[in-house]
Amino acid sequence: MASLMCVDIDLNLDAEEPNYSGGGSDEDGSKFNVFEIVESEVSKAKEKGDDTVRWLELEELDMDDSLLVSLDLPTKFPNLLALSLCGNKLEKMETVMQEIIKLKHLKALWLNNNPILQNKDDHGADTIFQVCPGLEIYNSRFTCNFGEWALGFCGGIYGKDNPGYSHQTDHPLQSITFLDLSNRSIHNLINEAFSPAEMPSLSHLNLRGNPLEQNLFIELLELLNGFSCLNALEVDIPGPLGESAIEILESLPNLSLLNGVNASKILESGKHVIDTILQPRLPEWTSDEPLADRVINAMWLYLMTYRLADEEKIDETSVWYVMDELGSALRHSDEPNFRVSPFLYMPDGKLASAVSFSILWPTQKIQKGDECTRDFLYAIGEEKQRSARLTAWFHTPQNYFVKLYEKYNQKLQSTSFVSLPMKPSTTSSLLHNDGSTLRVYTEIPQVEEFLTSPEFSITNVPKDADIIWTSMQVDEDMKAAAGLTDQQYTNQFPFEACLVMKHHLAETVQKAHGCPTWFQPTYNLETQLTYLIGDYYVRKRDGMDNLWILKPWNMARTIDTTITSNLSAIIRLMETGPKICQKYIERPALFKGRKFDLRYIILVRSMDPLEIFLYDVFWVRLANNQYSLDKNSFFEYETHFTVMNYRGTLNHMKTPEFVGEFEQEHQVKWLDIHVRVKTMIRSVFESAAVVHPEMQSSKSRAMYGVDVMLDCHFQPKLLEVTYCPDCTRACKFDTEAMFNGGETMKGRDFYNDVFGCLFLNKTTRTSPL
């Protein structure tokens, strides 16, 4: 898609089209004045045996309106077909029109780089079209009256040396094989001149940069199919011919090249976006931007990465590095002639002694003078979003991504959800009729220590337990290894990944609710990168916030989590493992200038009917530093993250103290916030119940942690749902319930309350949702 990266394409529509002489200089290099140029053109025409001048260039001569009138061009050149007045000082459209209207045969007019065009109002152009109905080219753009002369100009038939005649008697376009109509502002391509009958030999056509909005794509495809020799086409994708390269090729089966790429390769690879003139992204910065910031923004264009893992580390460690000058100079190609790979040399066989190298080797036969290239996305095909991922290095077609995002967003916006009706409980206490205890197997220290209710006892033998309470996944392999049966209760529901894995949570919420206000726009980068790029471009276009947070699918404690507004960084960070990309809450509610979030404990007895309970205490988690949107602060863990149990300094604050001070600081009632949070949490679990009814299991009871943040309007935002959450603080600190009488809640009673609610149908210190 990006084999040619540095082709210099001038897309400036105001640029001068013909190969003009720049004002005309004689052999001695002295500049003619405008009158001398006019006389010179007349003399040249006579020397050629022509009785009149049909092509005239009066450029960069400081000509003003009065001088134009004094030249009396219509009298001197009544058969003029093309007139260029570029780079002069013409200011009044009415003055220009009174001269132009007299040129009855004029086909092309260039007024580029004149003050007259500084007025962005297009009424002047419309007036010119009305008074000059035969005009086919105006300022490099085709008019609605374009025809044989304009097509001949773009096809190389007409020019200064052969301007043609006002009336042609033969078919001058029949010899055209290559026709470049790019960036001509063509709105309607269908006319008598652009037809297979007039151009039967046309084999290469460039339609890039034209809206063609007045034609149905079916009409355009039918028209192009009529050109029997047409085998190479260049067109915007998405664009007037469709949104997919594959669709275009299927509709135009005679094409062998589409946007410079072999048609068979496009169909084999399944590419939808095809472009051989993608411009590379270059480092961008402002004059006042520090050097360090410039380097950080630019590094994503050059970084390489690999991952290491050893028997002592469960989480793989990502290593980012930059190759030397030679390696970094290798450009991208879809058909590279070299490969590059990291290589670790360990002299003593241990990772600590490793020395890293980059190994470069050829994959094709090469000759002296050949450019060395590599594939930036080696072994990554369209099934892994290759075209979209190239956006990290190239300016891919924004319109393609914007259109797909808008369709996707429209679908989300149209999704509606009806809350589940409240049904009576179908669960009951699990107490044995003989009064014996419920035996619990667990490897979680807090459960072993603090589950002291007489109705329960701890066992070290899994197969003897009535209840399996574990942080590990209870799958068929574990059941077989531990001798578990389907009659034992477990603290996890089937398919609960739809809640506790971040990409599945987003999918569940979006299927049920579309885009609720309590859930930030979220994309699974493994499957929805195209939509994310479109959203990013729309926000950039509309001047909206464009800060995002990347989170691994299934890691907690902010491991491998990044905050950035750099699109290249977002795409490149996919290389360290599957992630979601979520719109960052840039303006959260703050507590004394610091960021915070809230951990709620949810107890689920049943998914159908939905029986969920909220523990009467939540816990606030505070960042340690003052909140800032300075981009240098995005690397400061204690500014933007709140989980300090494992890094940083944990500053525990009792919930009642926090609520009281928060209400006083912001002049709000926490009860109002609490109602909104409860409504949101129930909506989350309703989503799972509706989208994944297979979650229901009569042998499941579970506890989940739900993390919530408030925005600056004190509206709740769902962050994530956690399976078997860390409840160290719940057991360690005593506190008071915020509601239901504000009773004292002892930390040592936490698991007694949890197990009592889930297995004994008690509601001590819990509230139904």
Side-chain angles (χ1 to χ4, degrees):
M1 174 169 132
S3 297
L4 304 177
M5 302 186 301
C6 297
V7 178
D8 186 11
I9 302 298
D10 185 3
L11 298 181
N12 182 3
L13 293 179
D14 290 333
E16 185 179 338
E17 279 299 320
N19 183 20
Y20 298 134
S21 60
S25 298
D26 63 6
E27 296 178 354
D28 297 328
S30 60
K31 185 175 182 181
F32 289 173
N33 64 43
V34 64
F35 290 101
E36 291 173 329
I37 292 175
V38 169
E39 294 303 322
S40 174
E41 292 298 324
V42 172
S43 299
K44 289 178 181 178
K46 291 180 178 180
E47 290 175 2
K48 293 180 180 180
D50 293 336
D51 58 349
T52 184
V53 173
R54 295 191 298 276
W55 186 292
L56 182 62
E57 300 172 4
L58 301 175
E59 305 169 10
E60 300 179 1
L61 298 171
D62 294 332
M63 184 193 314
D64 58 16
D65 299 313
S66 59
L67 182 55
L68 174 64
V69 173
S70 67
L71 289 175
D72 192 18
L73 297 179
T75 300
K76 292 184 174 69
F77 310 112
N79 296 318
L80 200 62
L81 296 177
L83 174 63
S84 175
L85 300 174
C86 295
N88 286 294
K89 296 182 178 180
L90 303 176
E91 296 182 355
K92 297 179 180 179
M93 182 61 74
E94 57 269 24
T95 301
V96 174
M97 285 191 297
Q98 75 181 18
E99 296 300 303
I100 299 303
I101 194 173
K102 302 172 187 177
L103 297 169
K104 302 299 183 181
H105 306 296
L106 195 65
K107 299 291 185 182
L109 173 66
W110 291 278
L111 297 176
N112 309 63
N113 302 321
N114 275 282
I116 197 173
L117 298 182
Q118 293 179 359
N119 181 2
K120 299 301 182 181
D121 190 355
D122 288 334
H123 293 305
D126 294 338
T127 304
I128 286 181
F129 300 157
Q130 292 174 6
V131 300
C132 299
L135 195 67
E136 298 187 23
I137 296 178
Y138 175 65
N139 291 345
S140 306
R141 296 172 170 87
F142 279 19
T143 73
C144 59
N145 301 315
F146 84 89
E148 171 261 313
W149 195 93
L151 294 173
F153 172 76
C154 292
I157 301 296
Y158 301 135
K160 183 176 181 179
D161 295 333
N162 180 30
Y165 297 89
S166 57
H167 300 287
Q168 300 289 344
T169 57
D170 55 358
H171 299 277
L173 305 183
Q174 288 192 348
S175 62
I176 290 180
T177 59
F178 184 99
L179 184 59
D180 184 358
L181 300 182
S182 60
N183 303 300
R184 293 293 178 180
S185 191
I186 302 174
H187 301 276
N188 184 356
L189 189 61
I190 299 176
N191 66 26
E192 292 182 3
F194 188 84
S195 68
E198 295 296 326
M199 296 182 289
S201 302
L202 183 63
S203 62
H204 189 130
L205 175 64
N206 187 346
L207 292 174
R208 294 178 188 269
N210 294 294
L212 300 177
E213 81 284 358
Q214 295 180 15
N215 300 127
L216 298 174
F217 82 96
I218 297 177
E219 296 175 330
L220 293 173
L221 292 173
E222 182 179 355
L223 173 63
L224 296 179
N225 266 317
F227 291 91
S228 59
C229 295
L230 185 64
N231 56 52
L233 177 66
E234 296 184 55
V235 65
D236 296 328
I237 304 175
L241 294 185
E243 300 183 355
S244 165
I246 295 177
E247 294 174 0
I248 293 173
L249 288 175
E250 291 174 345
S251 301
L252 300 172
N254 291 334
L255 290 182
S256 58
L257 287 177
L258 178 60
N259 288 355
V261 180
N262 188 283
S264 60
K265 290 186 177 180
I266 296 172
L267 296 172
E268 290 172 5
S269 64
K271 287 187 176 182
H272 293 278
V273 184
I274 302 297
D275 208 325
T276 57
I277 60 170
L278 292 180
Q279 297 300 302
R281 291 186 183 275
L282 300 176
E284 299 176 353
W285 60 78
T286 58
S287 58
D288 58 346
E289 195 168 5
L291 178 59
D293 292 347
R294 299 182 188 185
V295 171
I296 289 172
N297 283 331
M299 70 182 184
W300 298 103
L301 302 175
Y302 305 98
L303 286 178
M304 304 278 284
T305 187
Y306 58 85
R307 305 186 73 183
L308 296 175
D310 58 39
E311 61 277 5
E312 296 180 358
K313 278 195 173 184
I314 297 177
D315 299 322
E316 293 179 335
T317 301
S318 300
V319 178
W320 292 92
Y321 64 97
V322 178
M323 293 190 290
D324 62 12
E325 296 90 337
L326 173 62
S328 295
L330 294 171
R331 295 197 295 178
H332 169 78
S333 173
D334 281 349
E335 298 179 353
N337 50 18
F338 278 85
R339 274 194 62 190
V340 180
S341 180
F343 178 83
L344 293 184
Y345 170 60
M346 295 182 286
D348 59 6
K350 295 182 179 179
L351 192 59
S353 67
V355 180
S356 60
F357 299 88
S358 288
I359 305 297
L360 173 70
W361 71 94
T363 57
Q364 297 181 14
K365 185 177 180 180
I366 54 175
Q367 304 292 331
K368 181 178 180 180
D370 290 349
E371 180 182 3
C372 302
T373 59
R374 68 182 181 90
D375 188 345
F376 289 177
L377 293 170
Y378 176 74
I380 295 177
E382 287 305 311
E383 74 283 357
K384 295 183 180 179
Q385 309 178 101
R386 178 183 178 87
S387 294
R389 291 176 73 161
L390 280 173
T391 304
W393 296 278
F394 299 96
H395 292 285
T396 50
Q398 293 189 16
N399 191 39
Y400 171 79
F401 298 104
V402 169
K403 281 191 173 182
L404 289 181
Y405 160 72
E406 288 175 342
K407 282 188 176 180
Y408 171 74
N409 187 52
Q410 185 178 16
K411 180 180 178 181
L412 290 182
Q413 296 285 353
S414 63
T415 302
S416 59
F417 182 80
V418 178
S419 295
L420 295 175
M422 299 295 289
K423 296 181 181 180
S425 172
T426 59
T427 58
S428 58
S429 172
L430 303 187
L431 278 177
H432 298 302
N433 293 331
D434 60 6
S436 59
T437 62
L438 292 169
R439 290 165 295 179
V440 177
Y441 171 80
T442 184
E443 85 287 358
I444 301 173
Q446 290 90 350
V447 179
E448 293 179 323
E449 180 179 358
F450 294 108
L451 182 57
T452 57
S453 292
E455 295 90 346
F456 301 94
S457 61
I458 302 296
T459 178
N460 295 323
V461 183
K463 65 180 181 179
D464 293 340
D466 299 296
I467 300 168
I468 305 296
W469 192 275
T470 178
S471 60
M472 298 180 292
Q473 183 179 1
V474 180
D475 54 20
E476 294 303 318
D477 291 338
M478 178 183 176
K479 285 183 177 181
L484 304 182
T485 71
D486 293 337
Q487 301 307 310
Q488 293 171 296
Y489 287 81
T490 62
N491 66 326
Q492 51 195 259
F493 279 84
F495 302 97
E496 66 181 10
C498 72
L499 287 171
V500 301
M501 294 187 71
K502 298 179 186 69
H503 63 306
H504 289 320
L505 172 62
E507 181 182 22
T508 300
V509 170
Q510 290 162 354
K511 281 185 176 180
H513 295 275
C515 44
T517 57
W518 44 263
F519 194 68
Q520 291 290 92
T522 304
Y523 301 93
N524 178 359
L525 291 180
E526 294 298 303
T527 59
Q528 297 179 312
L529 178 60
T530 297
Y531 303 141
L532 177 276
I533 294 174
D535 192 349
Y536 185 96
Y537 283 145
V538 168
R539 291 175 180 276
K540 183 177 180 179
R541 178 196 68 194
D542 296 344
M544 301 170 64
D545 295 332
N546 228 339
L547 194 60
W548 299 81
I549 182 168
L550 287 84
K551 307 174 184 178
W553 280 358
N554 198 29
M555 287 187 184
R557 307 173 186 176
T558 63
I559 295 172
D560 199 17
T561 300
T562 307
I563 301 169
T564 183
S565 59
N566 187 318
L567 181 58
S568 293
I570 292 172
I571 299 172
R572 296 298 311 281
L573 284 165
M574 294 172 61
E575 298 171 34
T576 65
K579 295 178 178 65
I580 64 165
C581 185
Q582 189 172 65
K583 186 66 190 66
Y584 193 61
I585 303 172
E586 293 172 303
R587 292 170 180 79
L590 302 177
F591 178 71
K592 298 181 178 179
R594 292 181 292 165
K595 190 175 177 180
F596 68 91
D597 64 23
L598 311 169
R599 163 61 64 86
Y600 289 85
I601 295 297
I602 307 301
L603 307 175
V604 181
R605 289 184 192 164
S606 168
M607 291 299 294
D608 185 17
L610 188 61
E611 294 183 46
I612 56 177
F613 298 82
L614 176 70
Y615 195 65
D616 285 345
V617 170
F618 64 86
W619 290 267
V620 61
R621 303 184 296 191
L622 294 163
N624 290 334
N625 299 338
Q626 292 289 296
Y627 182 69
S628 171
L629 281 177
D630 185 291
K631 58 184 176 182
N632 292 321
S633 74
F634 300 152
F635 303 99
E636 298 172 357
Y637 182 87
E638 296 186 51
T639 299
H640 287 273
F641 298 102
T642 61
V643 181
M644 301 297 165
N645 305 53
Y646 314 100
R647 58 191 290 191
T649 303
L650 175 62
N651 294 310
H652 176 71
M653 187 174 191
K654 290 186 176 182
T655 303
E657 295 176 5
F658 166 79
V659 169
E661 294 184 29
F662 187 87
E663 288 183 325
Q664 184 175 4
E665 177 182 354
H666 294 287
Q667 295 299 298
V668 296
K669 294 182 178 180
W670 191 264
L671 179 59
D672 296 335
I673 297 173
H674 184 65
V675 170
R676 293 195 288 269
V677 170
K678 289 199 302 180
T679 301
M680 181 198 74
I681 292 176
R682 179 169 177 85
S683 295
V684 172
F685 284 87
E686 283 182 335
S687 302
V690 170
V691 177
H692 292 281
E694 65 272 19
M695 273 190 70
Q696 171 56 19
S697 170
S698 60
K699 296 297 181 180
S700 297
R701 305 283 192 276
M703 173 176 69
Y704 300 97
V706 176
D707 295 335
V708 179
M709 187 174 288
L710 303 179
D711 65 16
C712 59
H713 303 293
F714 312 109
Q715 299 297 319
K717 301 284 187 178
L718 176 67
L719 299 183
E720 64 178 313
V721 179
T722 305
Y723 157 73
C724 198
D726 183 348
C727 294
T728 301
R729 284 206 291 174
C731 299
K732 184 176 180 180
F733 298 105
D734 297 342
T735 185
E736 293 84 37
M738 286 307 305
F739 307 102
N740 299 332
E743 67 172 301
T744 299
M745 302 180 70
K746 299 292 185 181
R748 63 173 181 266
D749 292 331
F750 174 75
Y751 273 108
N752 291 332
D753 297 336
V754 169
F755 274 69
C757 178
L758 291 177
F759 301 106
L760 304 179
N761 274 33
K762 295 181 179 180
T763 56
T764 307
R765 290 177 280 275
T766 60
S767 303
L769 289 178

